[in-house]
Amino acid sequence: MQLSYDRGMLIVPHNEKYFIYSPANHVRVMVDEYASFLVEQILAAQGWIEYEKIIFAFADKFEVTLTTEEVMKQIERLVKMEVFFKTKEDLFRSRNKKIDKFKIIDKPPNLVYLLLTYKCNFQCSYCYLRDAYKDIRELDTEQWIQAIRRLKDVGIKKFCITGGEALVRDDIVEILQEIKTDDCEVDLLTNGSLLAEKFSELDPLIDHLVISLDSLDYDTQATTRSNYGYQKILNAIELYSKTNPQKLQVRAVINKHNLNQMNDFSQKLNRQYGIRTIRTLVNPISSEELDIIPEAVGKIAIDQDLLETFNYNMKYRKCGACNSVIALNPAGDVMPCQAIMKPEFRMTNIFEDGWFATYLQSEVRQQFISLNLDQMEKCNECSYRYLCGGVCPALAYNIYGKLDHHVPLFCDYLREKAHNTLLYAKGDWQDV
C-alpha cells in the first residue's frame, strides 16, 4: 500500500512533542516522538507501507517490539486526521475542502478602513502616506456620515478608523457615533498622542484600539516617529491598562533603530501594563528605502515568555484586499486596502451610483483576487506559505512595480513568524 501526502509536509520538534503540518490541506497535528518517527519512516519510503521495515526501525531506535496490528492502528489514526491519505483523490478532496472556505465570492467585505484624513501631527520617517496627496479634498462631517450609511447599506459591519491621524479631526466623535448607531464594530488606529484628552468621549465608541509606539526609549521614538506627545502616549497606555486593558494593543514597527529593543519593549508593556504588543516590519515605499529594513530582522530571537502573549492563530493566510477588506481614502475613493492609496488603484467613489457593483467588477479588484500563493515565485516552493500569506502586495508594488513580485528581504522575517504560528497558535490541532 502506498499512501498519498503533501510533499511539503513539515515535522517540527517543540517541547518534547512534534508538530506535523500538511500545507496542502492546512492541517496541524501534535504528536509524540513515536508517532513522529512513524511519519518519518513513511515519508522516507515515499508513502509505501512496509510493516516489517517499520517494526524493525522501531526496535532498533526505541528497543520496543510492535505488532503489525499496532502499526496499522497508528497509520489509520494519521489517515483519519488527514495527515496521510489512501488515494491522491482523497488528498485533493481534503485540499479543496479547505480552499473552498476561502474562495473569492462577490459579497461585502468584512472590514472597511476609513482614512478620515491624511493630516497628522507626527512625521514618521517610514510612513507610506507621508508624501501622499496632501492637497486631497477631504469629506466633511455630513459626507462621512452619508458614506458610512452607504457602506452599511451593502452589509458592512466592521470599521477601522485611521489616517493620517484620525484624532486631529474635530468631528471624530460624531463620526464614530454614526458608526455605532447600528451596533457595528469600531477599531481605532492612532499614534495615541491625542487620545487621553478625548478618552471619556471616545472609549464607549471603540471596540478595539491600536496605539503605534516604536520604543519606550524617548530618543528612538523621536528618531522614527516624533518627539511630540511621548508622555501623552504613555499616559494613554496607562489609562487603558487601568480601565480596559483587553481593548488595547500596542503596535511597534520594526526598523533598524529599534530592532534590538523589541524584546525589552514587549516585556515591559506586558509586565507593567498587562498590554499585548503587535510587531510589524517597516514597509518601504520605494526600492530606494530598502536600507531602513534591518539586515538581521529574520534572525531576531523572541524571548520564550513573550511568544505566548502574541495572538498567533492558524488562519489560512492570503491578502484580503478587495475581498475581505477595502478602504476609503479621505475623498471617499474606494481603494483595495489601507496600505495602497496610489491613484492607479482607485476603483470607484462611495458617492457614485452603483458604487458597489462597480467595485465588484473593477479590473483592480480582479488583479488582487487573482493573486495566488501557489503561482508566486519562491512562495510556491515554501511549506509555510499558507501560514505566512506571502509578502504584502502593496509592498511588492512599491518596490518592484508588481503586486506578485517576490521580496527576498522579507522572507526570513515572515518565515519566522509563520514558524511561531505553527508552534504557538492556540487550538486547531489534534494530539496523537
Side-chain angles (χ1 to χ4, degrees):
M1 176 175 65
Q2 185 181 23
L3 299 176
S4 293
Y5 59 92
D6 184 352
R7 304 291 168 169
M9 186 183 296
L10 296 173
I11 304 175
V12 182
H14 180 63
N15 291 344
E16 299 182 355
K17 290 279 190 175
Y18 296 79
F19 280 107
I20 311 298
Y21 174 63
S22 173
N25 53 338
H26 201 55
V27 165
R28 177 182 67 163
V29 177
M30 181 189 286
V31 303
D32 61 18
E33 185 179 9
Y34 297 100
S36 172
F37 185 70
L38 176 58
V39 172
E40 290 175 355
Q41 297 304 301
I42 297 172
L43 296 182
Q46 297 185 333
W48 289 101
I49 305 301
E50 300 181 51
Y51 291 105
E52 288 186 5
K53 287 186 177 181
I54 292 173
I55 291 169
F56 177 81
F58 268 86
D60 184 55
K61 183 173 178 64
F62 300 108
E63 297 183 356
V64 297
T65 302
L66 299 179
T67 65
T68 300
E69 290 72 20
E70 288 173 324
V71 176
M72 289 177 62
K73 183 178 179 181
Q74 293 304 315
I75 291 174
E76 284 296 327
R77 293 185 70 185
L78 291 169
V79 169
K80 184 177 180 180
M81 292 175 179
E82 299 188 333
V83 174
F84 292 105
F85 301 86
K86 293 185 176 179
T87 68
K88 288 183 178 179
E89 289 73 19
D90 290 341
L91 171 59
F92 294 146
R93 271 193 293 270
S94 178
R95 180 181 185 276
N96 292 338
K97 182 174 65 175
K98 183 70 68 171
I99 289 176
D100 281 348
K101 295 181 181 180
F102 306 97
K103 278 186 176 178
I104 307 297
I105 57 177
D106 290 345
K107 65 176 184 178
N110 300 327
L111 168 67
V112 58
Y113 284 84
L114 302 184
L115 284 78
L116 300 184
T117 180
Y118 284 148
K119 297 184 177 103
C120 187
N121 56 343
F122 279 18
Q123 287 292 326
C124 300
S125 60
Y126 48 72
C127 178
Y128 51 76
L129 293 174
R130 68 179 183 274
D131 299 322
Y133 334 115
K134 298 297 185 183
D135 57 348
I136 192 170
R137 178 188 62 83
E138 294 184 359
L139 302 182
D140 60 27
T141 308
E142 183 58 32
Q143 288 172 321
W144 270 119
I145 288 173
Q146 293 304 317
I148 289 163
R149 291 175 181 173
R150 291 173 74 86
L151 291 164
K152 288 181 179 181
D153 285 345
V154 301
I156 295 174
K157 295 289 186 183
K158 184 172 181 179
F159 295 77
C160 185
I161 309 303
T162 183
E165 173 51 52
L167 299 190
V168 302
R169 287 192 63 126
D170 294 333
D171 57 359
I172 182 64
V173 172
E174 192 173 351
I175 290 172
L176 295 187
Q177 286 173 335
E178 178 61 35
I179 297 173
K180 293 299 286 185
T181 54
D182 295 308
D183 198 31
C184 290
E185 185 175 344
V186 174
D187 292 355
L188 174 64
L189 308 185
T190 174
N191 62 38
S193 63
L194 304 174
L195 186 62
E197 59 196 64
K198 300 181 180 182
F199 174 81
S200 60
E201 293 180 286
L202 290 173
D203 184 61
L205 303 172
I206 300 169
D207 296 289
H208 181 225
L209 172 68
V210 177
I211 293 178
S212 295
L213 178 69
D214 288 351
S215 177
L216 293 172
D217 176 74
Y218 175 85
D219 291 334
T220 304
Q221 172 76 358
T223 298
T224 61
R225 297 183 63 78
S226 175
N227 59 5
Y228 171 78
Y230 176 74
Q231 190 56 50
K232 290 182 177 181
I233 299 169
L234 297 183
N235 292 345
I237 291 172
E238 184 172 9
L239 182 59
Y240 265 92
S241 74
K242 294 176 178 177
T243 56
N244 280 308
Q246 72 285 351
K247 187 181 284 191
L248 172 64
Q249 287 184 300
V250 174
R251 179 174 63 186
V253 177
I254 302 173
N255 58 79
K256 65 183 180 182
H257 300 289
N258 67 358
L259 176 66
N260 295 325
Q261 302 173 18
M262 281 294 95
N263 282 326
D264 288 342
F265 174 81
S266 297
Q267 284 176 337
K268 193 169 291 186
L269 285 171
N270 186 249
R271 291 172 182 171
Q272 185 170 340
Y273 300 109
I275 300 298
R276 290 185 296 118
T277 56
I278 311 168
R279 299 180 181 190
T280 59
L281 187 56
V282 61
N283 284 2
I285 63 173
S286 69
S287 57
E288 287 75 28
E289 293 194 352
L290 289 175
D291 65 337
I292 66 178
I293 302 175
E295 291 182 5
V297 71
K299 301 177 177 63
I300 181 172
I302 301 176
D303 286 357
Q304 193 72 21
D305 59 345
L306 286 173
L307 282 165
E308 296 189 16
T309 72
F310 294 158
N311 189 26
Y312 294 116
N313 63 70
M314 280 295 292
K315 288 181 180 177
Y316 179 104
R317 282 174 171 75
K318 183 183 185 297
C319 173
C322 296
N323 180 33
S324 59
V325 172
I326 57 170
L328 262 61
N329 74 6
D333 294 328
V334 180
M335 312 298 289
C337 77
Q338 81 287 2
I340 191 157
M341 291 285 121
K342 295 181 182 296
E344 58 264 38
F345 291 103
R346 178 190 182 276
M347 293 177 283
T348 181
N349 187 280
I350 190 66
F351 293 108
E352 291 180 9
D353 291 338
W355 75 269
F356 187 62
T358 302
Y359 150 73
L360 290 177
Q361 297 163 12
S362 71
E363 291 184 9
V364 169
R365 182 171 186 260
Q366 295 307 311
Q367 289 180 56
F368 277 87
I369 65 177
S370 64
L371 294 172
N372 187 337
L373 289 170
D374 293 329
Q375 297 174 3
M376 291 184 185
E377 180 189 4
K378 300 297 182 182
C379 291
N380 57 8
E381 304 168 0
C382 180
S383 296
Y384 286 105
R385 62 190 178 277
Y386 302 128
L387 292 168
C388 156
V391 76
C392 169
L395 172 65
Y397 186 85
N398 286 340
I399 298 174
Y400 298 107
K402 290 181 61 181
L403 295 172
D404 61 352
H405 200 287
H406 180 240
V407 185
L409 275 173
F410 277 66
C411 263
D412 286 345
Y413 170 74
L414 293 173
R415 189 181 295 109
E416 182 67 17
K417 283 187 68 175
H419 179 78
N420 287 334
T421 296
L422 182 61
L423 300 183
Y424 293 100
K426 293 178 173 60
D428 288 339
W429 71 64
Q430 302 177 68
D431 201 347
V432 180

